[in-house]
Structures are given as C-alpha cells and as structure tokens.
Amino acid sequence: MILPIYIYGSHVLRERAREVDIEKEEGLQTLIEDMYQTMKHADGVGIAAPQVGKSLRIVIVDGEDLADDMPELKGFKRVMINPEITFESKETAEYSEGCLSVPNIHADVVRPRQIRVRYLNEKYEEVEEEFNGFGCRMVQHELDHLDGHLFTDRVSQIRKKILQSKLNKMAAGKVSTHYKIAQK
C-alpha cells in the first residue's frame, strides 16, 4: 500500500525514533513492504519509517535505479532495522542531496566518506557492513531521519538562510508533489 510521506514541519520527522522490538512489533513485514512501495512510487532511493509517520528505527535504501550511472549500486538494496553506526571515517565528501520529506529542495551536504553499520536485515539477521561511495551517503541520509535530523540541518548557515522561506512555506502546507503527503 502506498503511504503518505510526511513533509517538513511534521513532528514525527523531528523525534528520535524508537527501537523496534521484533518479537512484539505487529505488521513489521507489511510496513517494510509498504515503505518500499511508497519509496518507489515517489521515485526515491531511500526512506525511513518516520517519513511515513511511524516513529520506528527502520530504513530502506535501494540504489538499483541509479546503477546505470553508478555501477557500484547494482544490487544495492538494504532493509535496516535498529541500525547503529559503529565507525565513521574522518575523511568527508560533499554532495547535493534532496529528500522526499523536503520536496523540491536540494543542497550540498558534507558527510563522512565511509561508515560501518550494525543492523538487523529484513530476515531479522544481524549484519555489520561497511559503506562508501553513494551508497554510504544514502544510508547516512536515511539514518539521520531516525534521530530527528533532516539534510537541511547539515547545510551551511548561509544556505539555511536562503532556504528558510521555502521551508516555512512547506511547513505551512504550501508544497506540490506527485506523491501523497501528510503533515502533523
């Protein structure tokens, strides 16, 4: 089922998402499938549970659609439950980011070039994996959502000032997208 995507100004995007208790959380596989369908419908490459109004530590990244331009993303699809960064490189990289929850805005963001993450996959198996390149950026962007951060929080002060009027309008519900949105 396609879910509405919560946009800038929604409280759920600013909360620290709660850990998933896989023994008690009902409908977890359905939520994961709904998140994936929602992400694909919105032409996204990543989505976090808070973006669909669920304050849970779940993210999905899928770079397969970018593999023609970035061959390293061929087969790059991950479901991450309760992810935790265990290593961040001191070396950084800058890249222009956008977000389904902050539609029609892009800005350069500096992030660590390499990270290591421990998480449960969709089969509830524990995995520890290193990421670099664009896959690393995708993972970091989505993990930020789990702690109530948006990419606009990581841009330079001058860029924040330039974006502020657009963000204020978005928070007031003045935004247009090709996908269903929600605000709370």
Side-chain angles (χ1 to χ4, degrees):
M1 172 174 32
I2 306 297
L3 304 170
I5 295 175
Y6 285 69
I7 60 166
Y8 184 90
S10 301
H11 297 292
V12 70
L13 296 177
R14 293 306 191 172
E15 299 170 358
R16 184 179 195 290
R18 68 178 172 81
E19 295 280 324
V20 177
D21 183 338
I22 59 171
E23 302 293 325
K24 295 181 181 174
E25 197 68 45
E26 292 183 28
L28 196 51
Q29 290 300 321
T30 300
L31 174 61
I32 290 168
E33 181 56 34
D34 290 349
M35 286 173 61
Y36 185 78
Q37 287 180 20
T38 300
M39 176 188 72
K40 285 301 192 181
H41 176 75
D43 299 323
V45 295
I47 197 163
Q51 291 180 274
V52 295
K54 305 292 183 190
S55 187
L56 295 170
R57 298 187 76 76
I58 304 170
V59 302
I60 299 173
V61 290
D62 184 353
E64 188 68 35
D65 292 342
L66 305 174
D68 287 345
D69 295 327
M70 296 180 225
E72 72 273 14
L73 295 178
K74 183 158 180 56
F76 187 82
K77 179 182 174 187
R78 306 289 188 280
V79 172
M80 299 177 159
I81 302 167
N82 297 332
E84 173 189 354
I85 294 176
T86 60
F87 167 79
E88 292 183 343
S89 68
K90 294 196 185 319
E91 188 179 0
T92 60
E94 184 175 45
Y95 195 85
S96 181
E97 294 186 21
C99 182
L100 298 175
S101 291
V102 189
N104 309 316
I105 292 180
H106 291 82
D108 289 343
V109 177
V110 176
R111 295 189 184 273
R113 189 175 291 275
Q114 182 181 26
I115 61 171
R116 185 178 312 117
V117 181
R118 182 181 310 119
Y119 63 94
L120 299 177
N121 65 19
E122 67 278 7
K123 297 176 184 170
Y124 312 132
E125 301 164 329
E126 187 171 303
V127 176
E128 187 156 2
E129 184 175 10
E130 287 192 13
F131 298 97
N132 54 47
F134 196 74
C136 180
R137 178 159 301 272
M138 291 166 57
V139 169
Q140 290 178 82
H141 177 106
E142 297 310 327
L143 294 186
D144 266 359
H145 282 294
L146 303 182
D147 292 322
H149 303 297
L150 299 171
F151 81 95
T152 52
D153 300 335
R154 295 188 177 274
V155 301
S156 68
Q157 289 298 327
I158 188 119
R159 186 71 174 137
K160 279 183 190 175
K161 287 197 180 296
I162 292 168
L163 294 175
Q164 199 56 57
S165 67
K166 287 182 180 180
L167 293 171
N168 290 344
K169 287 178 185 174
M170 193 177 302
K174 298 175 184 170
V175 64
S176 177
T177 67
H178 72 277
Y179 47 88
K180 292 191 299 185
I181 60 172
Q183 281 187 306
K184 279 197 219 180

